[in-house]
Amino acid sequence: MASPVDPGDDLFDSLRKTDPKKLDEQAKAIVEKDEALRLKQEQRLRDLIQSNSTLPVTISSIRLVGVRNTRRSFLDRIFNPIIGANRDTPYTLSEALQEAGSAADKLRRFDIYHDGISISVDKPPQTDPSSTPTDIDIYLQARERGRVSLKTGTDLGNVEGSAYGNLLWRNIFGGAESINLNASAGTRTRSAYQAVFDTPILSDPDKRLSIDVLASSTHKPWASHEEALKGAGAKFSWATGGGSSHQIAYTGMWRQITGLAGTASPTVRSDAGDSVKSSITHTWIQDQRDNPFIPQRGYLLKTISEIAGWGPLRGDVAFWKSELETSAAIPIPVPGIKGDSGVSFTTGLRAGMLYPLSVGFGSTPQPSRINDRFQLGGPTDVRGFKMGGLGPRDGADAVGGDIFAAASANLLMPLPRLGKDTPLRFQLFANAGRLLALKDRGDNTQKSVYDTVAQLGDGLPSLAAGVGLVYAHPVARFELNFSLPLVMRRGEEARKGLQFGVGINFL
Amino acid sequence: MPPKPRDKRGADEDSSAGQSLAPALSRQSRKFANLFAIPPPVKALFDYVPVLVYPPNELPRRAPKPAKIPSLYVFSNKEDAAAGRPSFNPSCLKWQAFLNIAGVKHRLVHSSNHASPTGALPFLLPAASASTSDTSQDTYPIPSNKLVKYAEDHGASVEESSNLRYEAYQALLDQRIRSAWLYTLYLEPLNFNAVAYPLYVSSASTNPLVRASISHQLRAAAEAELLKHSSIIDIDDLYSEADKAFEALSILLGEDTWFFGSEKPTLFDASIFAYTHLLLDDSMGWKEDKLSGALRRRENLAQHQERLLVRYFGG
């Protein structure tokens, strides 16, 4: 009697007391089975596509599933060009899939859908009288991201700590338009409020128009003042392929130099007050580096050209400003190591010029103000000098200059034992720079620019060298260097010893 | 009641704990200090660099030329400042006249409130000392309320009127006449557009939006200042009070050359002059001239202004 009961108890027990190990194994088995099935399916699909890759097809419809807030007219601009009815020649199947894939990639880049837009292909039922035998339907499955996202946080940057709040409203009119409201308060940027409206043009993620308004107040201890900004601008940016992109921007900005420190120099005092800058800027970037923070190979070219105040632009300041930034990296082979050794040599060159113009259609060029002049020096450009440590100084204030040139050479080496795949590098560097104010040649601006450029070559440039550690975090590059200034001008502020730098853009 | 003694004991314990902690902490921090002290070989290296030091870079063109005399930052324009002509702002003009009377040599720099350490003009920036990177106390700007002391320190004979009535009359000037001045310059639309706008607004920026914003700020500030003293702005009252004040000042001056019968003009004469000059100066272009009309009727005040202008502003 007892025997039939016992196994029953066992069964009951075994159901009640689940062995976690067994469960794990079961779950693993299920996952493996799914995976195998998926792989098999994929393989079958690949074979199918492979064997049918040259099959002529026409895309009869594209359906985007899972999307509620996106405008039809917006999607039409992306899908219409690839739909069969709008083309003279039929696709092969692989072409059709490629086109659908690139459309999906476009959608992904609008940043309004979650990653992982899946594509599936179907044949319309042959019973439908309007369909032809070559017709296929394409289904894209996407999940829309939340339309409103709110973010708050704190940032620690180069000698700056800040707290921010950010409100992003995506896909406002169903065409990937967005509004971004940003407010932050910090130790250096005392307060900043910014609103940006951004929209792609003609459903092209590579052509964007944005309009922004901003109000901010920034503490500039290297020149004993605070700069308050209020302004608005519009930007149009477009990519031209091959890693190159352009941007044209108009900015109208009311700048106030105020809150001067007690020790502020006469030069800063004479520039205190209001000025309005109305300018058009063109920026061109060609980035061919394999990694923006610790490049092994490739180059970067960047030019910024700005014209302010001239002709119809008006405003209170007028100048032409040009800046060039280049950087190149080459891998250095180490005998005995196959492939990339991880050792690379990078070099950078930056130069800029501010050419005074006259406001409107006048004929007397305006000497530059402190908020338009260049600053040079600091852990992200000429290392071994303090922020704004190079160039003309009035007392303790870095008052900036109109013409500059700076260059650097860095040898990056992987750390022993950690290897080249870690984002850590040891670096040896030497960098040099010169920042000059335009010489006074009366109203003969041309002569004063020539004479100042000629002066760049007088003597050795201010120079510093050192060693350090570089860490390439996904969002920024961190450097801790030990540097020594070798050549400098009297008054320039060098930094002997350790210097810490955080930035996106290093010389 | 009961918690009190316990609280106290708790506090005592805390403080005693603090005392016993303190030496440990300081030992700790000394250790840290030693840790961060520069080791001698590195120190030797630091002393060795920079290897080469060139002469300093030249300053940009807008930097003021260094001067051997102090600079008085005032509301003015470039030409008037260079020529040492009277500022168009009463508080600037008061101190400008004071320095002229005291014989403190200075140059004028036209500027705005943003340049001032106190947020208001005028202030005096002492002449730069020989060494360029000197940031010692004597290059700090001197706000207007310290100018009397500065003048005395720099060898000027400052005659302070010790008259008891002095303060009463100073108050008359600082309240009655100043209120009427604020009203007539900033809140009287005719005068604001004709006088204040070109002087304070157009000079700041050429941009219409910025100008509108500055105009609004100026007028709001003047209104707020007037409402500090009374709950409503009664125009007739403001003008009649100013008229009475001028009358009182006129009687005070009488037939004397300077106020309170002194030999030499004092700071009080300078503060009277600051208003009378600007109200009587035809180049200001007053459109609503009730206030200057009231002043013109007091002939001895007008003569006082003329006298001070000729003697201390060279015309």
Side-chain angles (χ1 to χ4, degrees), chain A residues 254 256-258 262-263 267 269 271 276 315-316 368 373 391-392 434 439-440 442 460 485-490 492 496, chain B residues 45-46 49-64 114-115 132 140-141 204-207 210 213:
Chain A
W254 174 13
Q256 246 176 358
I257 290 188
T258 186
T263 49
T267 310
R269 286 199 193 279
D271 274 346
V276 170
D316 299 322
S368 58
R373 286 194 288 265
R434 241 3 216 119
K439 290 177 165 294
D440 193 350
L460 290 169
L486 301 175
V487 180
M488 57 192 282
R489 265 75 202 166
R490 192 137 43 79
E492 290 187 336
K496 298 173 188 175
Chain B
L45 187 62
F46 282 0
V49 293
V51 209
L52 192 56
V53 177
Y54 288 105
N57 295 303
E58 283 171 53
L59 285 177
R61 272 185 68 185
R62 268 174 66 95
H114 294 289
T132 45
Y140 268 83
S205 175
T206 54
N207 187 286
V210 172
S213 166

Side-chain angles (χ1 to χ4, degrees), chain A residues 242-244 285-302 325-331 344-350 383 412 477 503-507:
Chain A
S244 142
I285 302 176
Q286 168 91 13
D287 193 352
Q288 299 286 357
R289 295 172 300 177
D290 55 352
N291 179 327
F293 297 139
I294 39 172
Q296 294 287 309
R297 49 171 61 81
Y299 65 93
L300 166 84
L301 267 177
K302 182 177 178 183
E325 191 182 320
T326 64
S327 129
I330 43 166
S344 66
F345 179 74
T346 65
T347 168
L349 174 76
R350 287 181 193 177
R383 302 167 185 88
L412 294 171
R477 168 165 160 169
I504 290 172
N505 202 2
F506 278 78
L507 177 68

Side-chain angles (χ1 to χ4, degrees), chain A residues 26 28 49 94 114 156 191 331 374 380 410 412 441:
Chain A
Q26 276 171 359
K28 215 184 265 171
I49 291 170
S94 66
H114 285 286
L156 270 180
S191 65
F374 299 105
T380 60
N410 307 42
L412 294 171
R441 295 284 182 271

Side-chain angles (χ1 to χ4, degrees), chain B residues 17 160 175 187:
Chain B
E160 240 349 281
Q175 280 163 23
L187 301 179

Side-chain angles (χ1 to χ4, degrees), chain B residues 88-90 177-200 218-219 222 226 239 275 278-279 284-288 291:
Chain B
F88 54 75
N89 176 280
I177 293 179
R178 180 160 176 269
S179 297
W181 166 267
L182 288 179
Y183 182 83
T184 201
L185 179 60
Y186 296 108
L187 301 179
E188 175 60 55
L190 283 175
N191 283 341
F192 184 79
N193 292 332
V195 185
Y197 194 87
L199 293 180
Y200 292 97
L218 278 177
R219 296 172 63 106
L226 288 179
Y239 282 133
Y275 288 102
L278 295 177
L279 286 170
M284 291 287 281
W286 297 103
K287 289 277 178 274
E288 214 313 321
L291 195 59

Side-chain angles (χ1 to χ4, degrees), chain A residues 79-398:
Chain A
F79 296 137
N80 273 349
I82 59 173
I83 283 181
N86 301 325
R87 291 174 57 96
D88 305 334
T89 52
Y91 290 109
T92 62
L93 180 62
S94 66
E95 273 172 355
L97 287 177
Q98 208 173 348
E99 289 289 335
S102 73
D105 185 55
K106 261 188 188 175
L107 288 179
R108 186 184 53 74
R109 279 192 288 153
F110 287 121
D111 202 30
I112 52 176
Y113 304 115
H114 285 286
D115 276 350
I117 296 174
S118 60
I119 307 174
S120 47
V121 181
D122 197 9
K123 270 186 100 64
Q126 294 299 317
T127 49
D128 186 345
S130 70
S131 73
T132 65
T134 57
D135 274 359
I136 56 168
D137 289 334
I138 288 178
Y139 291 90
L140 292 167
Q141 176 97 35
R143 272 192 310 132
E144 278 181 343
R145 300 177 67 166
R147 285 186 104 180
V148 176
S149 67
L150 185 67
K151 230 177 15 185
T152 56
T154 52
D155 270 338
L156 270 180
N158 223 344
V159 262
E160 148 133 54
S162 66
Y164 66 88
N166 184 300
L167 178 80
L168 176 64
W169 183 11
R170 275 191 205 91
N171 209 5
I172 303 169
F173 307 117
E177 303 88 353
S178 69
I179 282 185
N180 194 338
L181 302 176
N182 196 65
S184 70
T187 49
R188 176 156 299 157
T189 302
R190 291 283 164 79
S191 65
Y193 303 92
Q194 192 178 24
V196 183
F197 174 79
D198 183 276
T199 177
I201 305 272
L202 300 174
S203 304
D204 185 345
D206 289 329
K207 288 194 181 70
R208 290 185 165 272
L209 178 73
S210 75
I211 295 163
D212 65 300
V213 278
L214 120 115
S216 75
S217 168
T218 311
H219 183 48
K220 300 194 163 169
W222 58 87
S224 312
H225 69 266
E226 249 178 75
E227 188 179 31
L229 300 175
K230 289 182 193 69
K235 292 189 184 81
F236 176 58
S237 40
W238 71 100
T240 46
S244 142
S245 63
H246 294 262
Q247 183 179 75
I248 283 188
Y250 170 79
T251 323
M253 193 70 78
W254 174 13
R255 299 103 43 98
Q256 246 176 358
I257 290 188
T258 186
L260 266 56
T263 49
S265 62
T267 310
V268 175
R269 286 199 193 279
S270 70
D271 274 346
D274 307 271
S275 64
V276 170
K277 179 174 92 170
S278 162
S279 74
I280 292 175
T281 311
H282 171 257
T283 312
W284 174 69
I285 302 176
Q286 168 91 13
D287 193 352
Q288 299 286 357
R289 295 172 300 177
D290 55 352
N291 179 327
F293 297 139
I294 39 172
Q296 294 287 309
R297 49 171 61 81
Y299 65 93
L300 166 84
L301 267 177
K302 182 177 178 183
T303 63
I304 306 171
S305 318
E306 181 177 18
I307 184 164
W310 181 80
L313 288 167
R314 317 296 298 186
D316 299 322
V317 292
F319 55 82
W320 168 271
K321 208 166 151 178
S322 272
E323 258 184 279
L324 168 77
E325 191 182 320
T326 64
S327 129
I330 43 166
I332 296 189
V334 175
I337 300 178
K338 267 190 194 148
D340 267 354
S341 61
V343 180
S344 66
F345 179 74
T346 65
T347 168
L349 174 76
R350 287 181 193 177
M353 180 187 72
L354 187 153
Y355 191 96
L357 299 173
S358 48
V359 171
F361 300 98
S363 57
T364 40
Q366 292 229 327
S368 58
R369 289 172 187 246
I370 191 166
N371 33 9
D372 294 318
R373 286 194 288 265
F374 299 105
Q375 290 283 357
L376 192 65
T380 60
D381 46 52
V382 185
R383 302 167 185 88
F385 289 89
K386 290 186 179 161
M387 284 286 270
L390 287 173
R393 288 192 156 250
D394 190 357
D397 290 337

Side-chain angles (χ1 to χ4, degrees), chain B residues 93-165:
Chain B
L93 183 52
K94 169 181 164 178
W95 292 104
Q96 188 189 349
F98 168 76
L99 290 179
N100 282 354
I101 292 165
V104 177
K105 277 207 158 52
H106 62 271
R107 64 169 177 175
L108 293 184
V109 178
H110 68 105
S111 185
S112 78
N113 280 336
H114 294 289
S116 170
T118 56
L121 290 178
F123 65 93
L124 189 77
L125 197 65
S129 40
S131 59
T132 45
S133 62
D134 190 16
T135 52
S136 68
Q137 198 64 35
D138 50 86
T139 57
Y140 268 83
I142 295 151
S144 54
N145 57 10
K146 301 229 169 68
L147 279 176
V148 174
K149 192 172 173 301
Y150 176 87
E152 281 169 348
D153 290 351
H154 287 73
S157 61
V158 179
E159 253 181 77
E160 240 349 281
S161 59
S162 52
N163 201 308
L164 279 175
R165 290 175 301 162

